[in-house]
Amino acid sequence: MTPQVTIDPADFANLALEPQDTGIWVVRLNRPKKRNALDLATIEELVRFFSQALRAGVAAVVLVGEGDHFCAGLDLVEHHRADRSPEEFWQVCLRWHEAFNKMEYGGVPVIAALTGAVVGGGLELASAAHIRVMDATTYFALPEGQRGLFTGGGATIRVRELVGKARMVDMMLTGRVYQGQEAVDLGLAQYRVEGSSFDKAMEIAEKAAANLPLTNFAICSGVSHMRNMSALDAAYAEACVAGVVNTQTEARARLEAFANGSAARVRPNAG
Ligand code: 1HE
């Protein structure tokens, strides 16, 4: 698909955007001195980038935080100083949802490379990515309870889906921290590496970017939409999406390669 819009990294300040030759874009939260806390300006930049990514031809995104911590969640200092009214914070939350929904439903694979704190709204952000990779420093928590707050960026939907209601309520009530293999076992991350989560996320993004864009679009929007439907409606929608994706002209060469025996076969992992 020919790109319909152009994204200029120079138009962004709180996000450092680094397009690669492969079509993968590195999106870097760039407020390390504030542990990449999400102020409203950052949320607006996320909305802008993820609203345009598909139409700009972005093949995949690696989302990473500059510095030691992925993201400290809501900018508590901005929130404190703004002394917002209920109506104002309601609107703030709707902008968070706009950003994170654009990520989850936007049709471009988003791989989060996690380090250090992935907490509060930072976990809400990470949970909107399609794949999360953690390293040895990564830890997850929902400190809202201790701060006198409640989640407002979709945790009741996405974090609950990852860890289940009981664990999420425990995390909020007690500030419980998950890290290491336990975090993977619970589903907070799909990959854990001893080395660089960024390198692993790039490797995953390259694999995803090698798929056909329409196929990735369906995977990175369809599965999310279908989980919101009744089973009957999801099956109908799945058939409809497969009707479009599985008959795309661009897939014919791949099917031909399978039919003539030249395509790679699916084999178990070595060892
Ligand atoms: C911040 C924030 C922030 C750091 N908002 N400024 N999230 C939280 O409750 C997590 C709050 N943050 C922390 O627990 C820690 O800062 C960290 C574990 C993330 C990092 O610790 P550390 O020791 O490396 O850094 P620090 O010394 O605590 O903070 C360094 C600076 O970052 C300092 O600013 P400075 O100007 O005094 O140097 C901190 O104020 C600043 N900073 N975190 C603003 N979150 C839509 S609703 C979502 C609801 C939530 O997300 S609630 C959970 C909020």
Side-chain angles (χ1 to χ4, degrees):
M1 196 176 78
T2 321
Q4 296 159 14
V5 292
T6 306
I7 300 174
D8 184 353
D11 293 339
F12 293 76
N14 292 2
L15 300 179
L17 302 182
E18 302 156 20
Q20 316 287 304
D21 295 341
T22 51
I24 297 165
W25 283 53
V26 176
V27 174
R28 193 178 296 276
L29 304 171
N30 201 20
R31 300 178 75 220
K33 287 188 180 146
K34 299 296 175 190
R35 306 304 185 257
N36 299 318
L38 296 170
D39 61 354
L40 202 45
T42 306
I43 292 293
E44 289 303 336
E45 290 192 11
L46 288 168
V47 171
R48 194 143 48 87
F49 176 80
F50 283 106
S51 299
Q52 297 181 328
L54 183 75
R55 286 172 299 136
V58 175
V61 169
V62 169
L63 179 68
V64 63
E66 181 65 26
D68 294 339
H69 297 282
F70 175 71
C71 179
L74 175 70
D75 189 320
L76 296 168
V77 178
E78 178 185 70
H79 182 62
H80 174 59
R81 291 195 179 138
D83 195 17
R84 291 161 168 143
S85 67
E87 290 84 351
E88 281 167 345
F89 197 64
W90 184 340
Q91 296 304 321
V92 168
C93 290
L94 290 181
R95 298 309 288 164
W96 282 52
H97 291 304
E98 182 75 9
F100 298 174
N101 288 342
K102 284 280 178 327
M103 283 173 65
E104 182 183 346
Y105 293 86
V108 175
V110 182
I111 326 297
L114 305 176
T115 50
V118 183
V119 301
L123 177 51
E124 295 181 304
L125 170 65
S127 67
H130 302 100
I131 299 178
R132 284 161 297 283
V133 184
M134 62 184 287
D135 72 6
T137 69
T138 308
Y139 60 99
F140 303 89
L142 292 173
E144 278 82 350
Q146 293 140 289
R147 306 278 181 232
L149 304 175
F150 190 72
T151 56
T156 56
I157 302 144
R158 296 191 186 88
V159 178
R160 183 186 49 129
E161 186 172 44
L162 291 179
V163 303
K165 184 195 80 171
R167 283 196 193 89
M168 180 184 164
V169 169
D170 177 24
M171 288 171 81
M172 290 182 73
L173 284 176
T174 66
R176 183 169 182 169
V177 171
Y178 285 110
Q179 63 199 70
Q181 187 56 39
E182 190 179 16
V184 177
D185 294 343
L186 293 184
L188 286 163
Q190 293 101 312
Y191 295 85
R192 181 166 77 102
V193 291
E194 286 308 319
S196 157
S197 55
F198 179 77
D199 290 352
K200 182 69 181 175
M202 284 299 276
E203 183 191 314
I204 293 167
E206 275 157 28
K207 273 191 195 154
N211 299 335
L212 294 173
L214 185 64
T215 301
N216 279 346
F217 173 73
I219 295 168
C220 295
S221 64
V223 177
S224 290
H225 278 292
M226 287 166 208
R227 69 109 138 71
N228 299 336
M229 300 175 188
S230 70
L232 202 61
D233 289 338
Y236 187 81
E238 185 188 68
C240 178
V241 171
V244 175
V245 174
N246 297 9
T247 57
Q248 61 180 313
T249 315
E250 292 77 1
R252 290 201 63 76
R254 294 176 183 230
L255 294 171
E256 168 62 22
F258 182 83
N260 69 26
S262 64
R265 263 45 184 173
V266 182
R267 304 285 185 226
N269 294 325

